[in-house]
Amino acid sequence: MLDFPRWKVISLWLLTLVCALAAVPTVVSMANLRWPAGLPEPKVNLGLDLAGGSHILLEADPAQVRRQKIDTMEESVRGKLKAMAQPVRISDISNNNGTLTFLVDDPGKIDAVREAVEPLTTGAGMTGKRDWTISVVDGNRFVLTPSAEGIALAVTQAMDSAVEVVRKRIDALGTKEPTIIRSGPSRIVVQVPGLQDPQALKNLLKQTAKLEFKLVDMAAPPSDVAQGIAPPGDEIVPFADAKGGAGAAKLAVRRLGGIRGDQLTNAQLSNNPQTNAATVTITFNSEGGEKFARLTSANVGKPFAIILDGKVLSSPVINEPILGGSAVISGNFTVESAGQLAISLRSGALPVDLKVVEERTVGPDLGADSIRRGMIAMGVGTVALALFILVTYGRFGGYACAALVINVFMILGLMGLIGTTLTLPGIAGFVLTIGAAVDANVLIFERIREERHRGRRVVAAVEMGYKEATRAIFDANITNIIAATLMFAFGSGPVKGFAVVLIIGILTSVFTAVVMTRMWVSQWLRAARPADITL
Amino acid sequence: MKLLKLVPDHTNIHFLKWRVPFYLGSLLLMAASLGLVMTRGLNLGVDFIGGQMIRVTFERSAEAPVEALRAEVTRLGYGEPGIQRFGKPNEVSIRMKLPPGADHDPALADKMARTITSAVKAAHSDARIDGVDSVSGKVSKELGWDALWALGSAALFVAGYIWLRFEWQFGIGALLSLVHDVTLTLGMFALTQLEFDLNIVAALLTLIGYSLNDTIVVYDRIRENLKKYRKMPMPELLDLSVNETLARTIVTSLSMLITLIALLILGPPVIFGFTAAITLGIFVGTYSSIYMAAPILIWLKVSSKSFVPGEATGDAAAARRN
């Protein structure tokens, strides 16, 4: 055991040195010094609870994705059947109850319809299932039901693009280093360090920015509209500036046949030269521009509704075809809300509505205070602990203390290398790890003491001490790792940060307390050949 | 140089002599803790019951004006706030239930937070808003279940590991001492009404890990001595093992306590509850590894035969034959 070959000594020190070097950027930044630009900086990031900032958990409603999927299917089916060489007449179309059903008037055309509709379904990802099941009941009623796999795929796709939209919108705010990640099937976590007032951010995120242009149904009886009863093929949409209650302004619009405002190249804050009111000017791309030109050309003299997120902004009459590919949206805007709408439209509509289900904001002073106090506690705790170990184990205690110092640097270095985040409980984890790290040394030293009392010679006692204690050290640390791993698996942000510190600390403390001290002890024993040891 | 020796050499305290009264005492304490948790309840934070928590520091006041705050916030019509001090006397947290309907329309929760913070800032020029936590009912339920899952599976996993490494009796002993430690800590939270939030769950998980440290060290020695002293009666052998590891137990527990107490007194007030939980855990964990984990081995009939190769799996049957 006393035999430590040179290569082993060198590689141990090299490993220690690399980890310790990796800790330098972190130490420098914590001491509020500047790190030279250009050098690599594997730095430990501060969590939101230390740096201040906002954590927002957004959730989408899968039922909404399902409804959208059915709506899209309805439009596809109608278009497809109309475009057939011999158009098929269908009636009694209903998309309630989570399915799409319709009657084929001519029972002889059932097979032709099935042939036309089947290509509209696709495979649901890698599941091997189709995203729709098609069945015919009562002879001529088609029932199209989205499959669970199809819905799951649609939700995943919607969430993936929602993440992109959220990222674009946050970038437009100019905040630094936001973290935007999917969490579970229908959630997105947004973390923005240093953001003090998340209000602007939340306003941006809660706006779906689904812009639609739909034709107003002038034939709808006003009394029905006021009661919210939609004539067939229509939907009732409230005005954005209506105050609610009975008699609130509503509008009946044709459900299908409008166009969506998602084919844009630009959206800008503008203002109406006559009234000086804030407006948003949108520019369509060529495809969107053509659609818009067609819609306006075919409906000159009729009113249409500009609908944002299910609310009517305005319903101007189309005086002449709009062929230029751009349009001005007016509503009850302030300069601020018009600016936000422009950002939202530029970054695209969210494919689903997002709801804030959890929000945590931490001010910067609290975090700074926590770091300062955490550092003081750590310093005092470490010094007191080192003194205690020194008076208890003498020279051996000195080795344990040296191991402790290396341990601190190794933890910081490793955390920086894997890019973990230091959170408030993480600081506690750090302090706790320091207390626990000496346990391995205590176990070893006490065992050496015992072996000396049993009359073993110095070298044999040291050898036995390390050998016999290692078993218990191993078992004890495995159980700690189990607990910390579960903490990591189930915990949220700050708790995860704590678990990471704990796991890294357990690994490095076993290394420094067992391997490093053994090297020093054996080097000393070989050099000094003491007849007795004070322990 | 004379070194400090907290535990003299050849210490021989008859710990196990008092095992029955101590066991009964521990069971009583556990029952009392459970009773406290049932009757008084835990002071659950917004993490677990949902709602809103606003942290405010009054920068130029020695003490936070709690009663004035209560009146000001109540006047806003969102209901009675729960106001608590934490950390320094000029730091408080204001806790509110989310307004009805907030689960469907998060803008309502948002509006409440803004109304309260602006009212507080208007009434107190030195009020500094340190943080706003807003957790919906749905998320808080999930966080609660996650916490229970984590605690339950951690306890079972580590007990299972000890069963694998030792024998089933040791696994049961470890599980029992874990339940003991966690229950007493919960009892302390019910008694002191310190806020129980997500961080405390992390503390309980840590406690599970570290309280087992002690148990494992004692068990490891018991196993070693069982092989060494075949004829020694169990109580005597357990006493010997506990005494042999006593110096290590004391020194390690003291080391942990030194750092924890530094953290408790000087550390950030936001994690006071967290540190307090682990500190108490170190105390009860040390106690339970001696008085919960060891005596049960006598009652579960562990003997030196448990570790004789070849009979190791049939130890229960062997114990019955004797």
Side-chain angles (χ1 to χ4, degrees):
Chain A
M1 174 227 134
L2 291 189
D3 191 32
F4 256 82
R6 175 154 303 195
W7 66 268
K8 223 175 185 177
V9 174
I10 292 176
S11 46
L12 282 180
W13 275 114
L14 259 179
L15 186 62
T16 313
L17 196 70
V18 168
C19 289
L21 269 183
V24 173
T26 302
V27 175
V28 168
S29 82
M30 276 185 184
N32 267 330
L33 298 172
R34 204 182 252 298
W35 183 247
L39 285 177
E41 46 167 350
K43 194 172 77 189
V44 176
N45 295 310
L46 294 181
L48 287 182
D49 52 353
L50 291 178
S54 281
H55 161 106
I56 296 174
L57 184 62
L58 298 160
E59 187 181 60
D61 182 8
Q64 193 199 3
V65 177
R66 187 190 183 101
R67 276 196 302 277
Q68 285 172 356
K69 194 171 167 67
I70 292 170
D71 277 347
T72 317
M73 189 53 142
E74 183 186 345
E75 248 179 289
S76 310
V77 168
R78 279 172 187 269
K80 185 84 183 236
L81 295 183
K82 216 180 272 177
M84 277 166 70
Q86 296 171 302
V88 180
R89 279 174 48 85
I90 56 172
S91 57
D92 194 18
I93 304 168
S94 142
N95 63 4
N96 294 326
N97 308 325
T99 57
L100 175 66
T101 67
F102 57 86
L103 285 175
V104 175
D105 294 357
D106 178 359
K109 295 266 178 75
I110 295 285
D111 287 335
V113 171
R114 186 188 279 277
E115 233 165 78
V117 171
E118 225 141 52
L120 296 175
T121 68
T122 55
M126 312 291 280
T127 57
K129 298 247 173 68
R130 305 298 289 177
D131 62 345
W132 290 84
T133 54
I134 302 174
S135 56
V136 180
V137 296
D138 302 339
N140 64 343
R141 178 176 288 280
F142 268 79
V143 178
L144 274 67
T145 315
S147 65
E149 292 81 5
I151 297 288
L153 182 71
V155 170
T156 304
Q157 287 167 343
M159 293 309 286
D160 281 342
S161 56
V163 167
E164 281 317 303
V165 173
V166 166
R167 186 183 312 281
K168 279 187 203 152
R169 291 189 187 174
I170 293 178
D171 285 347
L173 272 186
T175 50
K176 53 170 192 186
E177 298 170 28
T179 312
I180 303 155
I181 41 169
R182 289 265 314 267
S183 157
S186 56
R187 285 185 181 163
I188 299 175
V189 177
V190 176
Q191 293 191 326
V192 188
L195 185 68
Q196 284 326 306
D197 179 18
Q199 202 51 51
L201 176 67
K202 274 190 296 184
N203 285 345
L204 263 185
L205 296 184
K206 75 182 181 206
Q207 190 165 48
T208 306
K210 185 172 156 200
L211 186 65
E212 294 163 301
F213 301 92
K214 289 185 171 174
L215 288 171
V216 177
D217 182 5
M218 298 304 285
S223 58
D224 282 4
V225 173
Q227 284 172 38
I229 302 168
D234 280 7
E235 62 186 330
I236 305 292
V237 187
F239 274 90
D241 47 7
K243 287 277 175 280
K250 296 191 182 102
L251 207 57
V253 297
R254 304 295 301 173
R255 207 154 56 79
L256 302 173
I259 63 168
R260 279 195 210 134
D262 51 359
Q263 290 168 315
L264 306 180
T265 56
N266 200 4
Q268 287 288 337
L269 172 65
S270 54
N271 69 331
N272 184 330
Q274 270 114 52
T275 61
N276 219 14
T279 54
V280 178
T281 303
I282 56 172
T283 314
F284 289 101
N285 63 15
S286 58
E287 195 190 341
E290 258 170 51
K291 278 190 194 167
F292 194 63
R294 235 179 299 149
L295 180 80
T296 50
S297 308
N299 296 289
V300 173
K302 294 181 194 163
F304 75 115
I306 302 174
I307 303 168
L308 179 71
D309 294 342
K311 301 236 167 86
V312 177
L313 289 180
S314 56
S315 58
V317 174
I318 304 172
N319 293 323
E320 54 192 287
I322 302 172
L323 307 171
S326 74
V328 175
I329 300 171
S330 56
N332 228 341
F333 294 130
T334 62
V335 172
E336 201 186 0
S337 65
Q340 274 172 357
L341 178 60
I343 292 181
S344 301
L345 288 175
R346 272 206 302 277
S347 54
L350 283 169
V352 279
D353 298 341
L354 294 176
K355 236 166 50 177
V356 178
V357 286
E358 184 188 353
E359 187 203 332
R360 294 168 194 270
T361 312
V362 181
D365 304 296
L366 188 67
D369 184 55
S370 297
I371 295 179
R372 198 176 47 79
R373 288 190 190 205
M375 292 295 156
I376 293 174
M378 192 163 101
V380 171
T382 311
V383 169
L385 176 65
L387 283 177
F388 174 59
I389 293 299
L390 272 176
V391 297
T392 312
Y393 295 118
R395 168 184 283 274
F396 285 79
Y399 293 142
C401 291
L404 210 59
V405 173
I406 292 184
N407 191 21
V408 170
F409 280 96
M410 284 187 87
I411 296 176
L412 281 178
L414 280 178
M415 284 180 69
L417 282 178
I418 52 177
T420 53
T421 305
L422 184 67
T423 60
L424 188 51
I427 291 186
F430 214 103
V431 177
L432 189 65
T433 302
I434 290 169
V438 297
D439 179 48
N441 283 124
V442 173
L443 273 167
I444 295 165
F445 299 160
E446 288 296 335
R447 190 67 193 219
I448 297 176
R449 254 185 197 175
E450 267 182 69
E451 298 297 334
R452 284 290 290 156
H453 285 307
R454 292 199 184 126
R456 280 188 210 274
R457 312 231 333 252
V458 171
V459 172
V462 171
E463 219 163 290
M464 277 300 280
Y466 274 95
K467 190 170 153 257
E468 292 294 317
T470 307
R471 203 177 46 234
I473 295 172
F474 180 78
D475 281 334
N477 283 298
I478 291 275
T479 53
N480 280 341
I481 292 221
I482 292 177
T485 308
L486 286 165
M487 215 184 297
F488 186 79
F490 287 100
S492 64
V495 175
K496 264 194 169 55
F498 174 67
V500 171
V501 175
L502 224 50
I503 292 174
I504 294 178
I506 291 165
L507 296 178
T508 57
S509 72
V510 169
F511 173 75
T512 55
V514 179
V515 182
M516 293 300 276
T517 63
R518 193 168 72 174
M519 179 175 78
W520 292 328
V521 168
S522 57
Q523 280 173 342
W524 171 66
L525 286 183
R526 238 184 334 176
R529 302 198 175 278
D532 193 11
I533 45 175
T534 343
L535 200 67
Chain B
M1 187 168 72
K2 187 90 181 64
L3 295 180
L4 174 72
K5 268 212 177 106
L6 291 174
V7 180
D9 296 332
H10 310 296
T11 300
N12 192 11
I13 306 170
H14 296 292
F15 288 106
L16 274 285
K17 197 171 158 193
W18 305 102
R19 62 180 180 269
V20 176
F22 268 105
Y23 229 87
L24 289 177
S26 302
L27 291 178
L28 263 174
L29 266 180
M30 283 168 73
S33 297
L34 273 183
L36 265 180
V37 173
M38 300 281 187
T39 54
R40 238 174 121 96
L42 294 169
N43 176 10
L44 292 173
V46 291
D47 290 345
F48 296 124
I49 49 172
Q52 216 161 55
M53 183 175 79
I54 302 170
R55 283 195 288 251
V56 191
T57 301
F58 295 88
E59 290 184 289
R60 291 191 303 279
S61 315
E63 227 175 81
V66 174
E67 286 320 309
L69 261 183
R70 194 183 305 281
E72 285 150 20
V73 177
T74 309
R75 208 177 303 136
L76 300 173
Y78 288 109
E80 179 103 354
I83 299 186
Q84 277 180 329
R85 289 220 173 84
F86 75 99
K88 284 180 280 185
N90 64 340
E91 299 174 353
V92 290
S93 68
I94 304 171
R95 269 167 36 187
M96 303 293 300
K97 283 200 178 68
L98 287 181
D103 270 356
H104 300 289
D105 186 3
L108 291 174
D110 222 41
K111 192 162 157 252
M112 178 169 87
R114 263 179 297 153
T115 314
I116 295 176
T117 49
S118 49
V120 170
K121 275 200 238 168
H124 308 272
S125 61
D126 65 337
R128 184 184 82 198
I129 307 297
D130 276 332
V132 179
D133 284 3
S134 194
V135 183
S136 71
K138 192 175 167 195
V139 169
S140 65
K141 269 198 202 85
E142 288 171 18
L143 289 175
W145 279 114
D146 279 357
L148 283 181
W149 261 108
L151 283 174
S153 48
L156 287 181
F157 266 109
V158 291
Y161 177 76
I162 294 200
W163 174 27
L164 279 179
R165 291 284 296 169
F166 295 85
E167 284 297 324
W168 63 272
Q169 294 96 330
F170 292 77
I172 290 182
L175 191 60
L176 204 68
S177 63
L178 281 188
V179 172
H180 169 263
D181 300 348
V182 172
T183 312
L184 287 199
T185 312
L186 285 179
M188 179 196 80
F189 273 88
L191 186 71
T192 58
Q193 291 290 301
L194 277 173
E195 186 174 319
F196 194 90
D197 57 17
L198 268 183
N199 286 345
I200 305 304
V201 176
L204 289 179
L205 283 167
T206 317
L207 190 159
I208 287 181
Y210 282 102
S211 118
L212 265 194
N213 254 9
D214 277 343
T215 309
I216 286 174
V217 169
V218 175
Y219 276 2
D220 185 68
R221 187 54 68 99
I222 292 173
R223 176 170 60 185
E224 193 184 327
N225 285 338
L226 276 171
K227 290 176 188 164
K228 220 188 269 176
Y229 310 104
R230 295 286 172 85
K231 297 272 184 291
M232 193 185 279
M234 263 318 260
E236 212 174 301
L237 186 133
L238 295 183
D239 263 340
L240 176 73
S241 309
V242 171
N243 277 300
E244 279 180 349
T245 50
L246 192 61
R248 174 266 159 195
T249 306
I250 303 283
V251 174
T252 294
S253 299
L254 265 178
S255 306
M256 304 264 274
L257 284 178
I258 287 174
T259 51
L260 281 169
I261 286 170
L263 201 56
L264 212 51
I265 298 173
L266 303 168
V270 188
I271 49 169
F272 180 85
F274 176 86
T275 324
I278 299 181
T279 311
L280 180 78
I282 299 294
F283 275 109
V284 295
T286 309
Y287 164 84
S288 73
S289 59
I290 296 173
Y291 274 111
M292 294 299 288
I296 191 112
L297 299 181
I298 301 178
W299 296 318
L300 291 175
K301 306 234 186 293
V302 170
S303 72
S304 61
K305 290 194 181 61
S306 306
F307 290 99
V308 174
E311 283 181 42
T313 47
D315 46 39
R320 263 200 303 281
R321 271 199 303 278
N322 290 338

